[in-house]
Amino acid sequence: MKTGVYFCKCGTNIADKIDAVKIRESLLRQDPGIHFSTVDFMCSEEGKEAVAKDLAENRVERVVISACSPRDHETTFMRVLSKAGLNPYLMQMVNVREQIAWVTEDSGRATDKADRYIRAAVRRVQLHDALQKKEIDICPDVLVIGAGPAGLKAALSIAGSGRKVVLVEKSPVIGGLPVRFEELFPTMECGPCMLEPLLGDVLHGEYAENIELLTMAEVTGVVGSYGNFAAKISQRPRFVDMQVCIGCAECIEPCPVSAKNTFNSGMNDRKAISFPFAGALPNAPFVDEKLCIALQGGECRKCREACPVEGAIIFDDSAKVFERNIGAIIVAVGSDLYDCTKLPQLGYGKLDNIHTSMEFERIMASNGPTDGEIRTTAGNAPASVAIIHCVGSLDPKHKEYCSGVCCQYAFKFNHLIEKKLPGTRVCHFYKELVIPGKDEFGLYHQARSNPQATFVRYDDIQNLSVAGGAEGTIIQYQDNSGKSGSVKADMVILCPAVVPAEDSGRLGTVLEAGQDRAGFFEELHGRLDSAQSKIRGVFLAGTCQSPMDIQKAMNQGMAASGYILSGLVAGRKLEIQPVNAEVDARRCSGCRVCVAVCPYTAISFDPEKKVAVVNDVLCQGCGTCVAACPSAAIKGNHYTNAEILAEIEEVLK
Amino acid sequence: MTADKTVRGDTAFEPKIIGFLCNWCSYAGADKAGTAQSPYPPNVNVIRVMCSGRIDPQFVMKAFEQGADGVIILACHPGDCHYKEGNYRAAQRYRLLLQLLEPFGIERERCRFDFVSAGEGDKFVQVITEMVETVRALGPLIIPA
């Protein structure tokens, strides 16, 4: 097997320290058949040309490149081999510049070390396999889970490229949380106004036919891997045919049953057949099975009698299961708010007029429980409002992180209270104020200049307590300077920590996508790849990954789509790197140690053949399973035991 | 070729050490020391693996058998592994490995495990220098028959 050793001088960088003549002599003593050649600057166009030409002319079969770090130029020289008609994996690179020439003071010892490394590489490269990249067919369609800002943006951008999108939403309504907010920070844009064009595009826009929207649905099973997933989606019955219903709402009034409206945080009632809130899209009501008399076996048919169209209300609607093939999945299931009853001293759930920020958003919304009027339970406009920031955030006893959005909506609240109820006193209790961004300071300055606003900084939420009494709600506090005081507040708004959605854990299990210690979906890399999960082909967008504002959620929706649009292209096959693990079924004892250690769930157990099976698409080639296998039944391609052991042996000679 | 001999002091013993480095952190850290041109003793012969999780304890035993006086395993810092958790596997295997060395009469100081990030060129130089000095002080490894 003719081996060529190409020695880059790298100008004087290598040549000044390492004696190429001595290396050549040593190699020829080891094997007179070795073809040795020096090149001035191997990574230059001339250098690469020279190597490619030399490889062909001398019919070299195995190649050792002695140059710089493989982290810089391994792929460069692999391409040179390919160009010369050689399999690129029949090459071993020796890092003589960064790891010998530049760091060894004595040139004799540097030459000795380079000689050992090159000899070891010559030994190793003899054992290399001519690995081949594999290619598989892919499905370019995408499953988007969650129809909030991030999911909608992702669904639209993917549908716009002509691909099919399955958009799965748990609730009967799309638009996520912000569609329920009257106004949005930082520019006080109306939430529904901002989102409705987006919702309209999803439902009826130019690419809507590419989007299959499944509301009241959940993903219950996923098999396969990047490029070829199969998802199982379970849909609860709506009892209203969205294709037939004209959204006139005639059915609502006659319904005789009421219950708390969860879409308004239980602050008003809704009927058994209802819209979550006025203007909710898709424009069709849904029936609450547990409340509806007809669905509970009763005689009532009042809604259907009132309905002007035939077949819109279907009492015999049933749960459906859909199976869809997709190539990638975007998780955009959003988040929840921290349970404020876990901070009992704040009185939430026990005292009147203590609201979470979500409840207050609905109070201020013109389609909310009070039609946008800020009123206490007694029906009066509050003369004073306390806004408590950092409830559960930045708190080691609750959630250690900053939720990032609360300060900004708290200042939005300040602005809206000032506008709707001029003269109302507002007291902000805060631990830290966090208002980054080029537009976000506006509401902060406005709050600071509100003559009715006061600010109290506290160190620990334990230093605040909210108590009710004859004269109203009183907040006792100790501020961060140790000073104690009390503030009367007719209404208290709590800004709870943003926490993972209740369903995240279940969905994480279905997708095998991990969660961080706070329970948010764990990204591949916090800065480089925050829109990718650690499972290939499962992408993340919006607050399911981390607390974030709408801008960031929309951006992440686009980022996740970008990965899919560039990585999973219709008509193009998915390339699979051959540096991966391979099970020798004859040696495998079926012990499943490898299944347990694989960080990518790339190894499964075939119960029929009783052997481990590696999924090439998921395997990243780390080799952890290779080292773990007690039967040496797994081969780590390009880093085989034989290759590494030969390298060790030769370098020690 | 000239044999590896004497650099400093009156000792003629130059230890042979094998260093297993993961591609993404510690190997990059070694490259960083290179670009900074920070010198260190040339006794450590680097074997590059993609992940420290690939390091099979038999590689270490083989290195000692083949004449290494010391072995150093360098991994990504906890939480930084490119492959999520290969460095934890490496750390687990290292603890077992130490128990394996003693019956062979190999001092545990001859086998070191440490974390070096891609940015820690200085730490790489320090760890390598310490390792060479430690093994030099122990003297050549003689495995009892």
Side-chain angles (χ1 to χ4, degrees), chain A residues 145-151 169 176-177 331-337 498-504 507 519-521 541-546 553:
Chain A
I145 313 173
E169 167 58 42
L177 294 181
V331 183
V333 293
S335 53
D336 282 335
L337 293 180
V498 175
V499 298
E502 204 187 337
D503 198 34
S504 293
L507 187 61
F520 291 102
F521 278 92
T543 55
C544 68
Q545 184 254 324
S546 166

Side-chain angles (χ1 to χ4, degrees), chain A residues 16-36:
Chain A
D16 268 8
K17 237 346 151 11
I18 293 163
D19 187 338
V21 177
K22 281 191 179 169
I23 301 268
R24 181 173 180 274
E25 285 167 3
S26 164
L27 286 171
L28 291 176
R29 269 200 305 278
Q30 180 193 4
D31 176 2
I34 284 176
H35 172 71
F36 185 90

Side-chain angles (χ1 to χ4, degrees), chain B residues 1-113:
Chain B
M1 302 303 295
T2 52
D4 252 359
K5 266 186 192 149
T6 79
V7 238
R8 56 172 85 177
D10 49 12
T11 169
F13 170 57
E14 281 299 343
K16 286 186 191 171
I17 297 167
I18 291 286
F20 292 104
L21 272 57
C22 73
N23 182 60
W24 305 96
C25 287
S26 52
Y27 193 89
D31 278 353
K32 183 93 174 178
T35 44
Q37 308 210 1
S38 313
Y40 55 86
N43 306 57
V44 177
N45 300 293
V46 170
I47 307 287
R48 171 180 169 242
V49 285
M50 293 312 280
C51 179
S52 56
R54 172 68 186 94
I55 302 163
D56 190 326
Q58 70 155 325
F59 298 164
V60 178
M61 300 312 284
K62 182 80 173 178
F64 284 122
E65 186 201 321
Q66 295 289 322
D69 301 300
V71 172
I72 183 161
I73 297 165
L74 297 178
C76 302
H77 281 273
D80 288 356
C81 178
H82 183 83
Y83 303 102
K84 302 204 262 192
E85 53 195 35
N87 53 347
Y88 300 135
R89 301 285 171 213
Q92 287 171 333
R93 289 175 191 143
Y94 169 71
R95 284 198 295 276
L96 289 173
L97 195 57
L98 288 180
Q99 293 173 22
L100 214 60
L101 296 180
E102 274 176 12
F104 287 94
I106 303 170
E107 300 92 334
R108 51 170 52 210
E109 292 78 14
R110 291 188 188 272
C111 187
R112 176 171 174 173
F113 180 90

Side-chain angles (χ1 to χ4, degrees), chain A residues 482-505:
Chain A
K483 208 178 85 192
S484 296
S486 67
V487 167
K488 184 177 177 301
D490 295 334
M491 185 178 273
V492 180
I493 305 165
L494 308 178
C495 306
V498 175
V499 298
E502 204 187 337
D503 198 34
S504 293

Side-chain angles (χ1 to χ4, degrees), chain A residues 215-296:
Chain A
T215 53
M216 302 180 71
E218 288 172 87
V219 175
T220 49
V222 170
V223 292
S225 53
Y226 185 44
N228 295 285
F229 288 108
K232 196 187 254 186
I233 301 147
S234 303
Q235 188 179 40
R236 302 189 302 283
R238 192 181 187 104
F239 304 103
V240 174
D241 187 334
M242 290 204 290
Q243 309 303 320
V244 178
C245 173
I246 57 168
C248 66
E250 291 291 331
C251 54
I252 313 293
E253 194 49 42
C255 176
V257 197
S258 294
K260 294 282 175 214
N261 185 2
T262 45
F263 294 94
N264 284 330
S265 306
M267 292 181 292
N268 67 344
D269 287 347
R270 66 170 160 84
K271 296 294 183 69
I273 184 164
S274 66
F275 289 91
F277 43 83
L281 291 175
N283 187 18
F286 71 102
V287 179
D288 188 326
E289 199 173 348
K290 291 195 193 81
L291 295 177
C292 174
I293 297 168
L295 292 171
Q296 294 299 320

Side-chain angles (χ1 to χ4, degrees), chain A residues 44-278:
Chain A
S44 68
E45 289 308 315
E46 300 79 41
K48 288 186 285 187
E49 289 275 319
V51 173
K53 194 162 161 253
D54 194 273
L55 285 170
E57 277 176 11
N58 290 286
R59 295 167 187 240
V60 172
E61 293 161 288
R62 298 290 154 118
V63 183
V64 171
I65 301 285
S66 165
C68 52
S69 176
R71 299 181 79 257
D72 279 345
H73 278 307
E74 192 165 48
T75 48
T76 308
F77 298 122
M78 283 173 83
R79 280 198 295 273
V80 172
L81 262 73
S82 295
K83 206 176 151 193
L86 267 167
N87 180 295
Y89 294 94
L90 300 179
M91 178 192 95
Q92 178 70 8
M93 207 169 160
V94 183
N95 185 353
V96 293
R97 190 179 71 173
E98 278 84 347
Q99 297 194 10
I100 303 178
W102 278 347
V103 291
T104 310
E105 285 175 320
D106 180 79
S107 74
R109 298 190 75 196
T111 303
D112 279 354
K113 189 169 181 177
D115 176 52
R116 289 197 300 274
Y117 275 28
I118 296 170
R119 275 193 285 111
V122 169
R123 260 292 287 286
R124 188 192 205 276
V125 81
Q126 311 293 322
L127 301 168
H128 282 200
D129 293 312
L131 301 172
Q132 301 289 344
K133 282 182 183 167
K134 279 192 231 165
E135 287 183 330
I136 56 159
D137 291 322
I138 54 102
C139 169
D141 301 337
V142 179
L143 169 66
V144 177
I145 313 173
L152 291 169
K153 193 80 176 170
L156 278 173
S157 71
I158 292 163
S161 77
R163 299 168 186 227
K164 298 277 179 219
V165 176
V166 185
L167 177 59
V168 174
E169 167 58 42
K170 205 172 125 182
S171 78
V173 53
I174 63 173
L177 294 181
V179 81
R180 303 172 202 188
F181 302 166
E182 184 79 5
E183 315 221 36
L184 304 172
F185 70 75
T187 52
M188 305 307 288
E189 196 172 352
C190 148
C193 313
M194 183 187 83
L195 285 163
E196 266 164 22
L198 212 65
L199 307 182
D201 279 348
V202 166
L203 296 168
H204 317 291
E206 198 180 344
Y207 302 106
E209 62 182 26
N210 290 341
I211 301 174
E212 180 184 23
L213 172 66
L214 300 172
T215 53
M216 302 180 71
E218 288 172 87
V219 175
T220 49
V222 170
V223 292
S225 53
Y226 185 44
N228 295 285
F229 288 108
K232 196 187 254 186
I233 301 147
S234 303
Q235 188 179 40
R236 302 189 302 283
R238 192 181 187 104
F239 304 103
V240 174
D241 187 334
M242 290 204 290
Q243 309 303 320
V244 178
C245 173
I246 57 168
C248 66
E250 291 291 331
C251 54
I252 313 293
E253 194 49 42
C255 176
V257 197
S258 294
K260 294 282 175 214
N261 185 2
T262 45
F263 294 94
N264 284 330
S265 306
M267 292 181 292
N268 67 344
D269 287 347
R270 66 170 160 84
K271 296 294 183 69
I273 184 164
S274 66
F275 289 91
F277 43 83

